[in-house]
Amino acid sequence: MKKSSIFKILTLFLTFVIFSCCSGCFLSFVAYTNEKELQEFLEIERQRKEQADALIPEVEGYTFEALPEVAFANQEDWESQGFLKGSNFFEKLNPFKTESEFTTLEDGARKITISLVNRIEGKEELTPLGYIIITPEQEEKYGSLFPDFGTYHFGIYDEQPVFFRFMKVLTKGWGYEGGGVYALFLVDFENHTLYYAGYSKGWIEAELNDNRLYNFHHMCFKLTKN
């Protein structure tokens, strides 16, 4: 075999070895980065759980739970225990279509007008159900931990209007997504007030126990009145 051919083979072999080693290092780095970010997120969740646990419900008697679907054998299992997955839970509480209008008042309070959407002769008409005022004091107390209003924020449970806000969803880097824990409020249209009734317990606990994050689409919810 010619020396030039041997040299080419050795060069290709050395290149392959170097590339393989570098690839292994890169994959290790990716795994380390993922694990590092995951632990950073889980630490955020621990802190948020401590803050949520420190909030005292203004209305007693409601148990709000959220567990990941992997905590159950199958759909039949979670439904037999009274849980519904993701949007199915909230849509059951709000089978009709509602629309909310948010207004910031001069004193910094937030006014939320909730209306029922009716379709009459092909046109949508709004029928106001009432409005609520979130005072600056309430916003400071609950809004920092539960800042977001989502698609599913109003419903009726046991003939009682209820309202939901949720934690900021955690997203970063390599696609981790979790958090978004929901807070439950009872609506008093007569006095235009919200009363905090607790948050969806079980969600963060499952993340900490399982060493992973769970997003909304993997969660099953249950609300009961004691």
Side-chain angles (χ1 to χ4, degrees), residues 119-135:
R119 179 171 290 276
I120 301 175
E121 296 181 354
K123 296 182 180 180
E124 290 189 346
E125 295 186 3
L126 300 180
T127 302
L129 297 176
Y131 70 89
I132 49 181
I133 301 291
I134 302 177
T135 66

Side-chain angles (χ1 to χ4, degrees), residues 67-70 72 74-75 78-79 82-92 152 215-222:
L67 294 175
E69 58 183 331
V70 294
F72 306 92
N74 48 41
Q75 180 176 346
W78 70 62
E79 289 185 350
F83 286 82
L84 288 175
K85 186 178 175 184
S87 59
N88 293 334
F89 169 81
F90 293 95
E91 288 172 356
K92 183 177 180 180
Y152 310 106
N215 64 32
F216 173 81
H217 301 291
H218 293 140
M219 300 306 298
C220 301
F221 299 88
K222 179 180 179 181

Side-chain angles (χ1 to χ4, degrees), residues 6-94:
I6 295 175
F7 178 76
K8 288 180 180 180
I9 293 173
L10 290 175
T11 301
L12 289 172
F13 176 75
L14 182 60
T15 301
F16 174 78
V17 170
I18 294 174
F19 177 78
S20 298
C21 292
C22 291
S23 298
C25 294
F26 177 73
L27 291 175
S28 297
F29 175 74
V30 170
Y32 169 76
T33 303
N34 282 348
E35 181 63 23
K36 182 179 179 181
E37 289 184 350
L38 172 60
Q39 295 309 315
E40 290 174 351
F41 275 19
L42 290 177
E43 180 56 33
I44 293 173
E45 292 292 65
R46 287 188 187 92
Q47 295 175 10
R48 299 204 297 188
K49 183 180 184 302
E50 289 180 0
Q51 296 175 46
D53 287 340
L55 294 174
I56 300 175
E58 299 169 307
V59 178
E60 299 286 350
Y62 289 85
T63 301
F64 189 21
E65 302 172 81
L67 294 175
E69 58 183 331
V70 294
F72 306 92
N74 48 41
Q75 180 176 346
E76 182 179 357
D77 185 20
W78 70 62
E79 289 185 350
S80 69
Q81 297 185 47
F83 286 82
L84 288 175
K85 186 178 175 184
S87 59
N88 293 334
F89 169 81
F90 293 95
E91 288 172 356
K92 183 177 180 180
L93 295 180
N94 189 2

